[in-house]
């Protein structure tokens, strides 16, 4: 039996990954992390989506220790979430140091226990916010270290790594779930489901990608299929 664990926030990216994983694996487990995040609504959204889409199990792990250590506008109410700024440079205040190191490591421990062969994460370095822990180089390095440390091969899968946001929308559409992803996921840094607040960087990337996909669906779908091996 093929099993996978999806690092699942209930946002556009991880939900699209879950939708695809359910087509490719016999059994899919979801892991959501409670790290005291500002947009805590995502935990409830993730639970509802995991149940609705048919995940084998959904586990919420308490990692609020991260909130104590990692200073970010997503972990501190007194640091405002910045509006989208195309001229911004450096790491955004929404970067949570160590988040993906912790999430992927804990998801791998869970994968070990349920005998899953893969850990799936929706990170992407094509169309992202400049987070260093979303890069392909980082994911591959951590994957190697985790496999060594557990003396068991676990494969980190990043289905969105080389897709831009328009192509991520195309992937959801390929699996005939674009309306669900648009209406029922929570990507917004301010915790607003669906199209979100429209002001933060996450909402901007999501909305821009959707507009691009709607304007050129056929060509973008073809590009996505080729990159994803679905052609």
């Amino acid at each position: 039996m093929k099993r996978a664990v999806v690092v699942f926030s209930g946002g556009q990216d991880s939900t699209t990954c879950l939708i695809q994983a359910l087509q490719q694996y016999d059994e899919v487990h979801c892991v959501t992390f409670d790290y005291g995040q500002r947009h805590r609504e995502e935990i409830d959204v993730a639970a509802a989506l995991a149940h609705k889409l048919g995940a084998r199990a959904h586990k919420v792990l308490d990692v609020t220790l991260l909130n104590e250590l990692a200073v970010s506008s997503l972990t501190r109410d007194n640091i405002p979430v910045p509006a989208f700024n195309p001229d911004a440079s450096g790491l955004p205040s929404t970067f949570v140091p160590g988040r993906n190191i912790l999430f992927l490591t804990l998801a791998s421990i869970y994968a070990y226990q349920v005998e899953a062969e893969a850990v799936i994460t929706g990170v992407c370095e094509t169309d992202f916010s400049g987070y260093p822990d979303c890069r392909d180089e980082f994911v591959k390095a951590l994957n190697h270290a985790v496999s060594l440390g557990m003396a068991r091969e676990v494969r980190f899968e990043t289905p969105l790594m080389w897709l831009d946001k328009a192509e991520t929308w195309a992937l959801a559409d390929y699996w005939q779930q674009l309306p669900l992803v648009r209406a029922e996921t929570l990507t917004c840094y301010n915790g607003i489901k669906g199209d979100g607040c429209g002001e933060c960087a996450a909402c901007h990337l999501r909305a821009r990608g959707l507009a691009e996909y709607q304007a050129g669906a056929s060509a973008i779908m073809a590009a996505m299929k080729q990159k994803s091996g679905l052609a």
Side-chain angles (χ1 to χ4, degrees), residues 35-91:
Y35 61 98
Q37 57 266 55
R38 185 187 207 110
H39 44 298
R40 294 183 56 77
E41 294 85 356
E42 72 178 20
I43 298 171
D44 293 334
V45 168
L49 283 169
H51 176 74
K52 182 171 186 174
L53 289 168
R56 171 66 177 80
H58 177 236
K59 181 176 287 292
V60 179
L61 294 181
D62 183 347
V63 291
T64 46
L65 175 65
L66 182 62
N67 183 283
E68 298 177 30
L69 299 174
V71 176
S72 162
S73 57
L74 299 189
T75 62
R76 297 290 187 276
D77 290 338
N78 62 339
I79 303 176
V81 172
F84 172 72
N85 178 5
D87 299 320
S89 60
L91 281 174

Side-chain angles (χ1 to χ4, degrees), residues 24 40 47 57 59 145 160 162 176 187 193 218 220 223:
Q24 297 176 335
R40 294 183 56 77
K59 181 176 287 292
L160 312 183
W162 307 116
Q176 300 180 357
T187 303
K193 194 166 75 169
S218 296
I220 292 170

Side-chain angles (χ1 to χ4, degrees), residues 63-186:
V63 291
T64 46
L65 175 65
L66 182 62
N67 183 283
E68 298 177 30
L69 299 174
V71 176
S72 162
S73 57
L74 299 189
T75 62
R76 297 290 187 276
D77 290 338
N78 62 339
I79 303 176
V81 172
F84 172 72
N85 178 5
D87 299 320
S89 60
L91 281 174
S93 69
T94 51
F95 173 59
V96 182
R99 180 171 57 177
N100 283 340
I101 298 172
L102 182 62
F103 289 5
L104 287 169
T105 301
L106 293 175
S108 298
I109 297 170
Y110 183 59
Y112 186 101
Q113 298 302 325
V114 299
E115 300 183 339
E117 64 190 70
V119 170
I120 302 172
T121 175
V123 298
C124 162
E125 77 171 57
T126 302
D127 208 1
F128 74 134
S129 298
Y131 299 162
D133 59 358
C134 289
R135 296 174 300 169
D136 186 58
E137 180 183 11
F138 157 75
V139 174
K140 284 183 167 58
L142 186 62
N143 194 173
H144 179 64
V146 165
S147 294
L148 284 176
M150 296 199 303
R152 179 182 182 273
E153 287 296 321
V154 59
R155 184 176 64 255
F156 288 2
E157 293 186 359
T158 53
L160 312 183
M161 181 60 73
W162 307 116
L163 303 185
D164 61 24
K165 271 292 183 284
E167 291 164 340
T168 300
W169 283 111
L171 185 58
D173 203 14
Y174 176 84
W175 295 114
Q176 300 180 357
Q177 292 284 12
L178 190 152
L180 177 142
V181 171
R182 181 173 184 183
E184 299 188 35
T185 62
L186 196 163

